Amino acid sequence: MPVPILLVTGFLGAGKTTVVNHLLAHAEGRRIAAVVNDFGAINIDAELIAGASDGVVSLSNGCICCSLEGDLLRTLATLLRRDPRPEFIVIETSGIADPSDIVRNLMDPVIWQEAPLETVLCVVDATTSAETLNDALLRAQLRAADVVALSKVDLVDAAARAALCDVVRAQRPAAVAVDALHGEVPAALLFPADVDRVPTPREVKPRRPAADRFETLSWTSERPVSLQRLQQAISRLAPKLARAKGLFETVEQPGRLTVFQLAGGRATLAPGGALAAGVPRARIVFIAEIGVLSSAEINGIMQACIEAG
């Protein structure tokens, strides 16, 4: 029986991981396999989703989460050989990926026969300005979408949300736009009611060469960080960042991890799990436009976060 694929796209910090988290936590009996297409050398996205980074994590509700290492088609083939086989596959793209490239790969006849692309979901931060949505990459993500999920709708008023919906409809008239507070998107929009139905293959426009726009810079430490000093460091770096995320131990809470995320100029901290043996006490990925930041600048600013002594 074919295993439908849900492709989740959206710009850096839009809330894709929150949507995938919600799907996994509210599977309602579905066996979902989530593939996390990380951007960067440190596999933080998979840790945020499943609390582990060993490649594949089995969840108590029958779902699994795996990190994408290498070729997407090879990863899908591995998932399809699992026993029991997943009933649905969710692929979370990188925030800087043009989904048309991934759709093109999923049109591979061998994959299509076993795992056809069912739905493309684009997550859009509701605080995004209309001017920002004119960005070529964001337009490409929107135009691939069947469903557009507006995240962070609690941070905008009704007028701003309506204006954003107008822009979305202009870019992608055929898409269904829904609010996705806390990552909740109606499952009926994402998964087929008739599991035996095979969707129609999509037309994919010819690939256009795209220049690299973003780079990832990573910082790690074998010592815990001072939370106060970290906040000062992030304040200095934030104007140059498109996105940042990390896991770290603080001197204020030894032995526990804190989850850090920076998106859309907003930084959040949340409790993480216990610190595992054999891993750095601090791991942070910074994503910025190429040439805006250097490793030396990041290291110089972040080293000040480590308590002396």
Side-chain angles (χ1 to χ4, degrees):
M1 183 179 297
V3 179
I5 289 178
L6 166 66
L7 184 64
V8 181
T9 186
F11 197 59
L12 297 164
K16 298 182 298 298
T17 299
T18 303
V19 170
V20 175
N21 264 325
H22 192 277
L23 287 171
L24 292 175
H26 302 83
E28 298 178 351
R30 305 179 185 93
R31 286 195 309 276
I32 300 173
V35 180
V36 183
N37 188 359
D38 280 328
F39 181 73
I42 301 176
N43 186 20
I44 289 178
D45 279 61
E47 293 180 78
L48 293 179
I49 287 177
S53 60
D54 58 355
V56 177
V57 177
S58 297
L59 306 182
S60 59
N61 61 1
C63 298
I64 63 170
C65 180
C66 71
S67 59
L68 175 59
E69 296 178 356
D71 183 72
L72 172 61
L73 301 186
R74 187 167 61 248
T75 300
L76 291 175
T78 300
L79 287 176
L80 292 169
R81 289 195 299 268
R82 287 183 64 89
D83 185 19
R85 200 181 200 200
E87 295 173 304
F88 302 96
I89 295 174
V90 177
I91 302 173
E92 178 190 350
T93 71
S94 160
I96 59 167
D98 183 337
S100 64
D101 293 336
I102 301 168
V103 170
R104 186 177 294 103
N105 286 332
L106 294 177
M107 293 301 106
D108 178 279
V110 176
I111 290 294
W112 183 266
Q113 183 176 0
E114 292 198 63
L117 176 61
E118 175 71 31
T119 305
V120 178
L121 170 69
C122 180
V123 183
V124 176
D125 183 339
T127 66
T128 304
S129 66
E131 293 77 15
T132 302
L133 283 178
N134 281 326
D135 180 274
L137 178 57
L138 271 70
R139 288 202 309 268
Q141 293 171 344
L142 270 175
R143 289 173 179 171
D146 304 304
V147 179
V148 175
L150 302 179
S151 66
K152 308 173 191 176
V153 288
D154 53 325
L155 301 180
V156 297
D157 58 25
R161 181 196 174 280
L164 181 65
C165 285
D166 288 341
V167 176
V168 168
R169 277 192 291 269
Q171 295 280 2
R172 181 61 169 158
V176 177
V178 295
D179 291 346
L181 190 62
H182 309 307
E184 183 175 357
V185 181
L189 294 176
L190 307 179
F191 301 116
D194 181 1
V195 295
D196 294 324
R197 182 184 67 82
V198 176
T200 303
R202 297 169 185 244
E203 292 185 14
V204 182
K205 296 180 180 178
R207 183 174 185 176
R208 294 175 298 177
D212 288 337
R213 178 177 168 188
F214 296 92
E215 63 181 340
T216 297
L217 302 163
S218 303
W219 180 79
T220 64
S221 172
E222 300 299 331
R223 297 167 61 188
V225 301
S226 159
L227 186 56
Q228 181 179 2
R229 294 183 186 184
L230 176 73
Q231 291 170 330
Q232 293 170 349
I234 297 301
S235 294
R236 293 177 60 187
L237 291 169
K240 298 183 177 182
L241 296 172
R243 183 84 161 92
K245 53 178 72 173
L247 292 166
F248 49 80
E249 178 189 19
T250 64
V251 293
E252 291 84 357
Q253 291 186 309
R256 303 293 301 177
L257 287 173
T258 295
V259 178
F260 160 70
Q261 298 222 41
L262 174 72
R266 296 183 297 275
T268 60
L269 297 172
L275 180 67
V279 298
R281 291 186 172 186
R283 291 167 286 167
I284 303 180
V285 167
F286 301 94
I287 302 174
E289 298 210 20
I290 291 174
V292 171
L293 272 175
S294 68
S295 294
E297 183 178 0
I298 286 177
N299 288 336
I301 292 175
M302 295 303 297
Q303 285 301 119
C305 300
I306 301 172
E307 287 281 352

